[in-house]
Amino acid sequence: MEKQLQKLRELASGAGNQRTETGIPRVAMVQGVIPEHRLSAVYEPMINLILTGSKSMTVGGRTLNYNPATYFVMSVDLPAVGNVFPDNVTNAPYLAVSLTPKPEIIADLLDKIPGTGDAYLYHSGFSVAPVTRELLDAWIRMLSLIRKPDEIAALAPAYEREILFRVLQGPLGWMLREIATPETHLARIYKVINWIKTNYTQAIRVEDLAEMAALSVSAFHRHFRAITALSPVQYQKQIRLMHARLKLATSGENIMNVALSVGYQSHTQFSREYARQFGLPPSADLKKISLSHARN
């Protein structure tokens, strides 16, 4: 697999240290040292393949680590804290590529192939699996289009389908099936997640969210926590705090205005929960982020 990974590294060598578009629909890449506040974010559903280095993702109390021997699938929008690391032997910078799965394409594939993949990880919206040669070959074909932009419109849809097909065949295939299958528990929770993500500044009642998901309150709580590793209130809180951190780092607004803009009414509560989430109160964290910017 090393030759395949090396080819992919060459194809993705133009990536920068933030999400870098490739010109291929739904395919992006990133390379290097990524600012900490950008790694603490609400991550959208994705298939992520690391080419160099490694990454850890923490959602709720669950942390997953992955490297070029594995790939990562996230099937719902999740607030997560990430850390990336260079290669521990060569010190080459972290490098990764990602594909945002499109439910319509997955649904069309499911109509054409028998059900595959084990559902033993059913109760999670994110996980890691070993990479395969077939999946790497599909990614090589896709990323080769970076150098042949005139061929993207004709060939990218076929290569995208192949990547999704290979993932559907693997141990995390059930996660993609859940994305494209209506009326599953994940689909119901995903509807609520989209609502919270859009309306994160509003007060929420768990009873109303359960009704939105057409589940009892107890069943809704159980499925929401199983899929996201968070309760609905914790999920909303983390989204608020991650939006607040990004605003503090990029907008120049004062701390109280930022707190109000993400739904907090109390400066004390905001500072306390911010420190619990990120390890420092807002003012100290902002200084840390500024120093990091200055060094980079």
Side-chain angles (χ1 to χ4, degrees):
M1 292 188 188
E2 184 56 34
K3 287 185 179 179
Q4 293 169 299
L5 287 167
Q6 187 54 42
K7 177 64 174 177
L8 287 167
R9 290 168 188 141
E10 293 169 5
L11 292 169
S13 60
N17 73 335
Q18 57 185 334
R19 179 184 171 91
T20 305
E21 299 299 335
T22 61
I24 305 167
R26 292 175 292 284
V27 176
M29 54 190 180
V30 65
Q31 179 174 223
V33 179
I34 305 170
E36 182 181 335
H37 66 280
R38 294 196 180 278
L39 286 167
S40 300
V42 181
Y43 289 79
E44 297 180 346
M46 64 175 172
I47 299 166
N48 190 245
L49 178 68
I50 290 183
L51 306 178
T52 306
S54 60
K55 185 173 186 176
S56 69
M57 292 279 285
T58 300
V59 182
R62 186 178 176 210
T63 299
L64 294 176
N65 300 288
Y66 58 117
N67 55 40
T70 59
Y71 65 99
F72 177 86
V73 177
M74 181 175 283
S75 59
V76 294
D77 298 73
L78 291 173
V81 177
N83 286 287
V84 300
F85 309 95
D87 184 88
N88 58 12
V89 176
T90 66
N91 206 38
Y94 169 81
L95 176 63
V97 293
S98 65
L99 169 66
T100 301
K102 193 173 183 181
E104 297 87 340
I105 299 174
I106 300 168
D108 185 62
L109 274 172
L110 291 174
D111 285 339
K112 296 175 173 58
I113 60 176
T116 56
D118 298 323
Y120 63 89
L121 293 173
Y122 175 76
H123 292 301
S124 176
F126 60 108
S127 199
V128 171
V131 75
T132 64
R133 292 182 181 278
E134 292 80 9
L135 182 57
L136 290 179
D137 280 340
W139 269 108
I140 288 172
R141 283 186 278 277
M142 178 66 93
L143 292 190
S144 292
L145 295 177
I146 293 174
R147 298 178 178 177
K148 303 174 183 178
D150 292 344
E151 298 181 4
I152 288 175
L155 297 178
Y159 300 156
E160 180 176 6
R161 288 174 67 87
E162 184 179 3
I163 291 171
L164 294 172
F165 174 77
R166 296 301 176 191
V167 175
L168 280 166
Q169 285 188 313
L172 303 184
W174 66 271
M175 296 177 74
L176 294 189
R177 293 199 300 276
E178 291 282 301
I179 291 175
T181 306
E183 295 309 313
T184 61
H185 286 130
L186 187 143
R188 296 183 187 189
I189 299 302
Y190 190 54
K191 178 181 178 182
V192 175
I193 283 172
N194 275 336
W195 188 91
I196 296 174
K197 193 176 72 165
T198 303
N199 301 280
Y200 67 90
T201 63
Q202 297 185 25
I204 61 172
R205 293 178 69 251
V206 174
E207 293 81 2
D208 293 338
L209 300 179
E211 183 177 353
M212 190 184 303
L215 293 167
S216 69
V217 172
S218 60
F220 171 71
H221 249 297
R222 185 170 67 254
H223 289 296
F224 194 100
R225 184 178 285 278
I227 289 167
T228 67
L230 298 161
S231 72
V233 173
Q234 289 171 328
Y235 183 94
Q236 182 199 42
K237 185 184 299 182
Q238 291 205 10
I239 287 182
R240 285 180 170 182
L241 291 170
M242 287 174 182
H243 277 288
R245 193 183 203 195
L246 186 59
K247 284 188 176 185
L248 284 172
T250 59
S251 71
E253 292 186 56
N254 67 52
I255 292 172
M256 192 59 213
N257 283 346
V258 168
L260 291 170
S261 74
V262 299
Y264 281 91
Q265 300 302 315
S266 163
H267 183 282
T268 301
Q269 182 186 6
F270 173 67
S271 295
R272 182 175 63 249
E273 293 183 354
Y274 189 104
R276 186 180 299 132
Q277 176 70 24
F278 300 119
L280 291 170
S283 57
D285 190 47
L286 186 56
K287 288 180 182 178
K288 177 184 174 184
I289 291 170
S290 299
L291 286 173
S292 177
H293 275 312
R295 286 195 299 267
N296 295 323

